[in-house]
Every structure is written in structure tokens, then in C-alpha cells.
Amino acid sequence: MPTIPTARQTIRVLDVHDPFKCQALLSRGHWLDPPAQTHSTLPLQHWQPPGCILHEYARKDVQTCLQGQRIVFIGDSTTRQLFWATAKKLNATAADEEMRAAGKHENLMFNEGGVAVDFIWDPFLNSSSLRHELLSYLNGETQEDMDNVWKAGLITVGGGLWYARHFELDSLNYFQDSFDYLSPLLSVPQNSAQTLYCPPSGKRRDEAHHVYVAPVQVPFYGGLSPVRAATMTPAKIRPLNEYLYNVSTSKGIKVAWSHSLMTSEREQAYEESGIHVIDNVSTRRVDVLLNMRCNAHLTLSQGYPFDKTCCSAYERENVVRERLTLALIAIASIIVGFWVHRRYGLPKEQVADQTFLSRDQTDEWKGWMQFVILIYHYTGASSVLGIYQLIRILVASYLFMTGFGHTLFFYQKQDYSLKRSAAVLIRLNLLSCLLPYVMATDYLFYYFAPLVSFWYVVVYLTMCISQSRNSTTTFLLAKIGASAAIVTGLVRVPTLFEGIFFLLQHTCQIHWNVKEWRFRLQLDNYIVYVGMMAAVLYVRLTDILHTQRFPAQDGAGYLRHHWSKIRILSAVIGLSILPCSWLFARTFTDKFGYNRWVPSLCYRS
């Protein structure tokens, strides 16, 4: 009997030529924010390889991956830009100071936090220093072998423009001679732990070949000075890259063609010289190289969050765990379905009109919101401010409906039983408790279910305490206000959660990020209480409009008589506030400033 392939096996079959997206990372990609399609004042920030997400490396990542090693750049001034971009990742202030004092045509060194970054000036790619560096790397010389010089962990070679600039007729021949001499040292060795487009894994991940070649920089010809424009012509530079492509394909040399794509037909990607690129572009170029070098290493050593998906290494499939999980899900689904059928039977047709924010309506909205939020996290869209602001409104709306729905249920049904609360918490957390086991993460990594569960418990305690007096509207509103003050204090003052997380860490070996948890709670600190108050006011208005318990002289008669006008006016005000809030949100230039306003913006929206 044929077996059904797993989702992971299916993906491998469909993407057999580049399953780890190493070739996609090194050779393809596009800008998510090109100048022609964005209103941002800082375009060309986010580079997207096909099929994976480029991880933007920071100081800590580089130090973790390349501690005690050297990052070496060899070539001309375009390669020197990669050197400075890497140095700025380690210490931007120190790198800027050294860059202002550095000469143009000289070797450079930068050491920060246990990582050394070296630049060897060699525009013709024919120096003895270049050959010695490559030979030392291939021979695996250690720190002692090289007179206390750290071993290179990543080497990038790039040049070629000087051949076009200084040789009138034979620039291609001279470039070929230099590169043919180097190509045996640039090719991936047969005994390497890494094939050309497959990341190393397991114990041999440090034996991989991490020597990369940057393509010849194609200038922005319209920005060149007259002297450079006369020699650096497309007719001279195009053959250099064509030769580089042919030799890299035949001899297995890793060329970062994505570097050329970042500037292709992008005038805004260049500085005034027409040769050098802006900082954003050089930083993303370095990120491509660091993703190639470090993603597999960091994924295997750090585990989740698995946000380094390009050219990354993955753990071997645990067949027993996967099949056991599928069996448990199937059994649980059958049991739950049988129980629901026995207790409730077939669903009955509903004839009555739906009430304001009914269960069916809010469940439909919540489902679509979760669908959008899932795509948002999967694509890493949080770096785009406009999308981030929209998602914050969706999350706040979800929490508003959580507070509204549960408050309305407790107010009307008066069911504070443990059985009902347990059913709600299990329904919210069953999948989120199963996912950490299957995906080797932790419970708070899927923060949405813990967030909704926390606020359910808050609503439950708020409504349960002194429940006999909930019929008094002023008392209930005062109780909601007191709950908001207490929870705000607990969330914003570092006491309770630190103690709970410390206890969990030392008694159960549960390592949760208290800083991230507090951040999630603070973002939507008040919207749940707005939903609770809306539920109380909804019940009060329903009683006034549909019962005669409230005399007309108390204003109930006026409200009943003018209710249609009041409802229209409220709709107009609500529709006006939404675009105003959105326009105000668009005045922010970064997430950090916007986050300070989120608690007050979301309930208005």
C-alpha cells in the first residue's frame, strides 16, 4: 500500500533543485520597498529572496556565529563598502570614526566584541596577500599555525572595475588571467561538508567552504564623471560578468549575483559617484553573505525562533513523534466530534435575527483576523510600518470582542463554573500547547493564545468578584475601572511576572521571555476593558429600548423616541474616527513611536 508523503517531503519533491534556498539567497531576489512603489523616505530597506526570508544580522548574531574568527574582504573600493557595512553591524559609532580617518588605498582592520573584520586592498585581485589568505583558509590553519592571527570564518573577494578603468583594449584578458589563477582556490573543495547550494549540518558544519565572490559592480553610467564614463563602459564591464558567470558555473564558485540585482536599474541605489552604493544596499549585501555563512550554524545551536529560513539547516525528521502527533490529533478529533454530536445533535436552523456583535458574527471576524495575522507573521511583514499598524488594529479588535463577548456571557448567564472556564481555556490553548511539542518551541512563542487566555482570566475574575452586585451598573463600571488600574500596575511594574517566570524557570525548567510577554500585554492594555464597558452599556441600552422598567422622565422615553437618529449619528462619528486615527498613525516614521500611542489609538479605531 503506498504511503502518503508528509508536508515536508512534498515540499522537497516540489523544490528538489534548491530545497534549502541557498541558491535563491545568493542569486535571486527583489526589493520589497523599491522607490517607485513606496512613499517611505527610506526605500531599499528590505530585500526578499524567493522562498525564504532574509535575516537582518545584528551585533549579537555576528558575535555568536563568528566569535574568535575573522571576516575578510579582499578587492576594490566596492568591496571596501562591504567591510564598513560589516563593521557598522558590530559597532556603528566606532566604525564611523575609523572610516573618517581611514585612507583610500590601504588595508584596514576592525576588531569588536571578539570578531575581527579585515579588508585587503587588491583591486586587480592578483596580490600575494589574496593568494596567501585563500591558501591558509583551504589548509585550515588554526590560530597557532598563523602566529596568533585568527582563522578566517568568511572570505569575500570582489573587484574588476580597475581592469575596465585602466586597460583600454585587453581588460577582459587581464581579468581572465587573474581569475583563472585564483579559481582553484575559490571553488568548493570535493571534501567540503557543504556542496555548492546546500548548507552543512551536524558536527561538520564548521568545515564548510565559505569563500564568496562579489560580481563586478555595474555602475550607474549616468552618474559617472566624464573621465570614468570614458573608460567604464557597458561594452567593457558586461563581458567581465559574463566570464565570471561562465567560470563560476563550470568550476563551482559561489558568486553573489543578488548583489547585482540590488542595483539593477536602480539609480537611487547609488551614491553620487555612480560607482558606490548607498548604505542600505551595502548592508543588505552583507546580510546575504552572513545568511549564507551563519544561518545553519545559528539555527542548530540556538533553536527557535526559526527566523533564519534562507540556506538554513533543519533537524532530521522525528518520524515517531510526527506519527504519534497525527494519531493523537485524529483520535481527539473523533472523540470531540462524537461528543458534540451526542450532546447537541445536528445544528438547528436559526430564524431569529442576530443581535449586536453576536457570537456567529464575532467568530467569523476573529477567524479572518487570525488568517491575516498568520500571513503577517509568516511573511515577516512587521518590518513594514503600514502593515504593522493595520495588524495592531486587528489584534486590538480581536481583544475588544473578547472582552465584549465574555462580559456579556457572564452578565446574562451568570455561569462562573469551573467546567465552563476550563472548556474555554482548553478550546483556546489546545493547539497552542500541542505546537510547542511538535515544533520544539515554547508556549509563549505562539503569543496570541496566551494573550487571549490571560485576558479571559482577567474578565472572569473581574465579573466573578462580588457577582451578586453586577446588576448595579455604576458598581460594575467601577469594578471594571478598578480591575484596569490593578492590571495596569501589575503589567507595567516589574514584580509579579518576574517572580512567576523565575519560579517556572527554577522549578519546571520553563524559560519564558518576560520582557516579550510584558510588551504584548502593554500594547493592548485597555482595549479589553473598553469591550467590557461596551457590553455593560449594550445590556443597559437593550433594557431601556425594549422594556418599560425605566420611566420616560429618566430620559428613557427621549432615548426610545430618538434612537434611530442617535444610531445614525453614532455610525457617522465612528466612520469619521477610523480614518482620522489611521491618518494620525501614518504620521509616525517607526514602530517605536507608534507603540507608545497604541493603547490610546486602538480603542478609538
Side-chain angles (χ1 to χ4, degrees), residues 93-339:
T93 303
D96 284 333
E97 293 177 357
E98 293 194 20
M99 185 168 61
R100 286 191 291 269
K104 288 185 176 181
H105 302 159
E106 63 182 21
N107 297 345
L108 302 168
M109 297 178 61
F110 187 85
N111 195 324
E112 181 71 30
V115 178
V117 189
D118 293 345
F119 171 71
I120 299 174
W121 172 254
D122 184 10
F124 291 113
L125 305 180
N126 60 359
S127 68
S128 58
S129 298
L130 168 57
R131 186 168 179 81
H132 174 72
E133 195 72 53
L134 294 175
L135 283 171
S136 300
Y137 180 82
L138 292 177
N139 293 333
E141 294 183 3
T142 60
Q143 182 174 344
E144 292 78 9
D145 296 327
M146 299 180 64
D147 300 325
N148 295 324
V149 177
W150 290 345
K151 177 182 177 181
L154 170 64
I155 298 178
T156 303
V157 179
L161 282 178
W162 275 48
Y163 283 101
R165 176 74 174 85
H166 296 285
F167 292 94
E168 189 66 31
L169 298 176
D170 297 326
S171 57
L172 177 59
N173 292 332
Y174 285 118
F175 180 74
Q176 287 178 345
D177 291 342
S178 295
F179 211 85
D180 287 341
Y181 185 64
L182 290 176
S183 58
L185 304 179
L186 298 171
S187 303
V188 177
Q190 295 295 324
N191 61 348
S192 174
Q194 181 187 34
T195 59
L196 187 58
Y197 294 120
C198 181
S201 59
K203 296 180 179 179
R204 301 190 66 201
R205 63 175 178 262
D206 292 326
E207 302 174 20
H209 185 73
H210 292 295
V211 177
Y212 301 93
V213 176
V216 180
Q217 174 69 58
V218 178
F220 170 56
Y221 296 104
L224 295 176
S225 64
V227 176
R228 286 175 172 171
T231 55
M232 295 183 179
T233 62
K236 295 174 69 175
I237 293 177
R238 188 183 303 111
L240 302 183
N241 276 323
E242 290 176 353
Y243 163 77
L244 190 59
Y245 175 80
N246 294 330
V247 73
S248 64
T249 303
S250 61
K251 296 186 178 182
I253 298 173
K254 291 184 284 189
V255 180
W257 294 112
S258 57
H259 287 195
S260 292
L261 293 177
M262 291 183 186
T263 57
S264 178
E265 301 180 359
R266 300 285 183 199
E267 177 183 348
Q268 297 85 350
Y270 293 89
E271 293 181 350
E272 185 178 356
S273 66
I275 295 177
H276 303 117
V277 297
I278 60 176
D279 288 345
N280 299 346
V281 176
S282 58
T283 301
R284 294 293 86 81
R285 286 177 169 180
V286 169
D287 280 328
V288 168
L289 299 172
L290 291 174
N291 274 251
M292 289 290 296
R293 170 60 180 88
C294 296
N295 279 5
H297 176 83
L298 294 181
T299 299
L300 291 174
S301 61
Q302 295 181 345
Y304 87 96
F306 298 104
D307 55 352
K308 306 168 187 67
T309 59
C310 294
C311 202
S312 187
Y314 300 96
E315 295 180 354
R316 296 186 64 181
E317 298 178 53
N318 189 326
V319 179
V320 175
R321 183 174 68 181
E322 289 184 356
R323 293 182 178 178
L324 178 61
T325 302
L326 289 173
L328 290 175
I329 293 175
I331 294 172
S333 300
I334 293 172
I335 294 174
V336 171
F338 180 76
W339 177 77

Side-chain angles (χ1 to χ4, degrees), residues 437-598:
Y437 171 73
V438 176
M439 304 300 296
T441 58
D442 70 34
Y443 174 62
L444 289 187
F445 182 69
Y446 308 97
Y447 71 90
F448 209 78
L451 184 67
V452 177
S453 301
F454 172 84
W455 286 114
Y456 170 78
V457 173
V458 169
V459 173
Y460 174 84
L461 293 176
T462 303
M463 296 298 293
C464 184
I465 297 174
S466 300
Q467 56 184 276
S468 59
R469 300 181 61 186
N470 283 348
S471 58
T472 305
T473 304
T474 53
F475 173 79
L476 183 54
L477 292 176
K479 189 167 61 167
I480 293 173
S483 175
I486 294 172
V487 172
T488 300
L490 293 176
V491 168
R492 296 185 178 275
V493 179
T495 51
L496 177 65
F497 293 118
E498 278 74 10
I500 295 175
F501 284 33
F502 178 84
L503 185 64
L504 290 174
Q505 178 179 345
H506 289 82
T507 58
C508 306
Q509 288 297 307
I510 296 176
H511 301 275
W512 288 347
N513 190 335
V514 64
K515 184 178 179 180
E516 176 70 13
W517 178 237
R518 175 172 284 109
F519 169 75
R520 295 296 175 186
L521 292 177
Q522 287 180 345
L523 278 178
D524 305 289
N525 197 24
Y526 307 118
I527 192 64
V528 173
Y529 294 105
V530 175
M532 294 179 69
M533 290 188 289
V536 174
L537 294 177
Y538 167 74
V539 173
R540 177 76 173 181
L541 282 173
T542 301
D543 288 343
I544 293 175
L545 295 173
H546 300 290
T547 65
Q548 300 299 322
R549 294 189 297 112
F550 301 94
Q553 56 267 31
D554 290 342
Y558 179 86
L559 190 63
R560 296 189 195 103
H561 180 70
H562 296 283
W563 175 242
S564 59
K565 297 179 181 178
I566 295 174
R567 187 167 58 180
I568 294 173
L569 179 62
S570 301
V572 171
I573 294 174
L575 292 174
S576 302
I577 291 177
L578 186 60
C580 291
S581 299
W582 178 251
L583 291 174
F584 177 68
R586 298 301 292 164
T587 62
F588 294 97
T589 58
D590 56 67
K591 293 194 297 185
F592 307 103
Y594 176 73
N595 285 340
R596 290 193 290 267
W597 284 84
V598 165

